[in-house]
Amino acid sequence: MIKIIAMPILSITICCGPALAEPRNKEKKVAVVTNFSENDAVAQDLVKSFANALDRAASNDVAIKYEYYWSGGNTETAKIYAKKVAASSPDAIFAATTPVVSALLNETKTIPIVFATVADPIGSGFVENLAAPGKNVTGFINSEGSIAGKWVQYLKELLPDLPCISMMYNTRTAPYYKYYVGPFEDAAKSVSIEPILSNVSTEQEIEGTIRDLSDRKCGLVLMNDSFNFVHRQRISTVSEQYRVPVVAYNKATALNEALIAYGPEEVDAYRKAAGYVKKIIDGAQVGKLPVQLNTRFYLSVNLQKAKRLGIEIPASFLSRVDDEVE
C-alpha cells in the first residue's frame, strides 16, 4: 500500500514596491521505504520520528511531500516498490533495512538514499567506505557484528547451564547474516555452548525451530532482521509456549518476544537520518556524508517474561539494565 501525504503549499504575497519579489515555497518529495508492516505500531513510530525530525529541520520556505511504502517483510514487494520509487524521481529517499536499500540501488544510481536499520553496508556493497561512501547512498549502521557476542554473554549469565544456543534469521531478509554469525559462534564456543544456526522463512519454520530448541533445552538469539521484527509476536507466543528464552537486538523487542534485548536505540538513527536528508535537500552531496554507527545502546529485560519462564534475574544483572519491562 502506498500512502501519499502532502503538506500544504503556502503562498505569501509581499506588496508595496516593485523591488520586492513574491516568495514561493519549494516543494521537495521524499520517499520513505521500509521492509516493515504498515500496521506495526513500533515501525510507525520510527517512521514518524524521521518525518517529524525532517519537518522541524526543513527551511521555512520548503514544504516536504512524503510518499510511504511498506513492504511488510517481503523482499519481492520491496523490489516492486523500488521500481515505483525510482520512476517517481523523489528528491531523496529514506530507506530502512538492508533488503530495501539493495532493491533501491538496483533501480537508481543517482537519487540520493539515506538509510537506517542496516547492518553491513560495506559487505553488502552499498558503500565503498564509511568515511566517504562515494555513491548515491549513506546512512546509519544499527550495530556491528561483534554485538552478537554480547547477546550470547547475557543469556549465558542468566542461564549458566545452557547447553546450546541458536541464532535465527532469514537469509532473504538478512543477506548479511555472516556479519553476525562469526562473532556469535566464537562467543558461544568460548563459554562452552554449542552454537546452532537456524535459517527460517515462514511462521511454520519459526515454530518448528523453537520446538526443536525446546527439546534440547537451548536458548535463542534473534539476529537484526526485518523478518524477525515483522514476526516478533509469533516468536513471542511460540517461545513462551515451548519455554525457550530469547535474547534479541533492540529494546523494542523486549516488549514482545525477548527475555533480554541489547542493541541500539534505533529512533536516534531515524532522527539523524532526517538531518542527512535535510542536508541533501539543501544541496549536500550524499556521497560525501559519512556513514555513521549508532552510539546509544540499551540493555533491556522483560521481568514478566522472566517470571513466566521461571527465570530469576539477579540483582547484579538488574543493576546494569537500562530498561525493565514490568
Side-chain angles (χ1 to χ4, degrees):
M1 179 181 292
I2 303 175
K3 282 192 174 182
I4 301 177
I5 302 175
M7 293 183 64
I9 302 177
L10 306 179
S11 178
I12 303 173
T13 302
I14 302 177
C15 63
C16 306
L20 295 177
E22 180 180 346
R24 295 178 180 177
N25 280 9
K26 295 177 290 186
E27 183 179 272
K28 297 293 184 178
K29 185 165 64 175
V30 175
V32 178
V33 193
T34 86
N35 203 34
F36 303 135
S37 298
E38 184 180 7
N39 60 357
D40 188 316
V42 174
Q44 283 278 3
D45 286 344
L46 286 172
V47 168
K48 286 178 183 176
S49 69
F50 164 80
N52 289 341
L54 181 54
D55 287 338
R56 288 193 299 268
S59 303
N60 291 334
D61 64 341
V62 173
I64 307 295
K65 176 184 176 182
Y66 296 95
E67 295 181 354
Y68 294 94
Y69 301 78
W70 306 84
S71 55
N74 189 313
T75 55
E76 293 306 311
T77 303
K79 293 175 183 177
I80 293 170
Y81 284 164
K83 290 182 182 294
K84 291 182 178 180
V85 171
S88 71
S89 299
D91 295 283
I93 303 169
F94 172 62
T97 75
T98 296
V100 165
V101 177
S102 180
L104 287 166
L105 286 174
N106 283 334
E107 300 298 330
T108 178
K109 305 300 181 185
T110 56
I111 302 172
I113 300 168
V114 177
F115 62 72
T117 317
V118 164
D120 183 15
I122 293 179
S124 298
F126 298 161
V127 301
E128 296 170 2
N129 65 72
L130 302 184
K135 298 182 180 180
N136 63 314
V137 61
T138 188
F140 296 84
I141 305 172
N142 55 1
S143 62
E144 294 179 303
S146 59
I147 196 175
K150 300 291 287 186
W151 298 331
V152 174
Q153 172 192 323
Y154 287 133
L155 202 54
K156 172 69 173 179
E157 186 174 348
L158 294 184
L159 298 165
D161 297 327
L162 196 68
C164 47
I165 187 168
S166 170
M167 175 176 279
M168 190 165 73
Y169 52 89
N170 181 337
T171 54
R172 295 189 69 182
T173 51
Y176 49 82
Y177 68 96
K178 292 180 181 179
Y179 187 62
Y180 293 102
V181 164
F184 163 74
E185 291 182 326
D186 290 344
K189 292 173 183 177
S190 71
V191 291
S192 301
I193 296 178
E194 178 190 356
I196 302 168
L197 302 181
S198 300
N199 176 21
V200 297
S201 59
T202 66
E203 288 198 343
Q204 290 75 21
E205 289 178 354
I206 288 173
E207 182 165 359
T209 294
I210 292 175
R211 183 175 59 247
D212 292 345
L213 294 176
S214 176
D215 291 342
R216 299 181 61 184
K217 308 298 182 185
C218 297
L220 175 62
V221 166
L222 298 180
M223 181 186 291
N224 288 18
D225 182 353
S226 54
F227 177 86
N228 288 336
F229 187 86
V230 168
H231 296 280
R232 66 188 185 279
Q233 190 56 57
R234 184 60 181 163
I235 294 170
S236 174
T237 301
V238 176
S239 62
E240 276 199 28
Q241 176 185 347
Y242 289 103
R243 301 183 67 79
V244 172
V246 177
V247 59
Y249 50 87
N250 66 29
K251 71 178 185 179
T253 61
L255 300 174
N256 292 284
E257 75 272 24
L259 167 67
I260 314 163
Y262 178 73
E265 175 60 279
E266 289 190 288
V267 69
D268 288 346
Y270 282 64
R271 290 169 180 158
K272 290 176 180 176
Y276 267 14
V277 172
K278 195 267 184 184
K279 290 182 179 180
I280 291 166
I281 287 173
D282 290 345
Q285 295 183 39
V286 61
K288 293 185 177 180
L289 297 173
V291 175
Q292 299 185 44
L293 177 69
N294 277 349
T295 56
R296 297 182 63 187
F297 285 73
Y298 289 81
L299 174 62
S300 305
V301 63
N302 189 318
L303 297 178
Q304 286 190 7
K305 190 170 288 288
K307 185 176 181 179
R308 290 194 292 268
L309 293 174
I311 297 173
E312 183 176 351
I313 309 296
S316 59
F317 190 93
L318 289 175
S319 65
R320 290 173 282 139
V321 166
D322 299 292
D323 292 289
E324 297 179 15
V325 180
E326 299 287 350

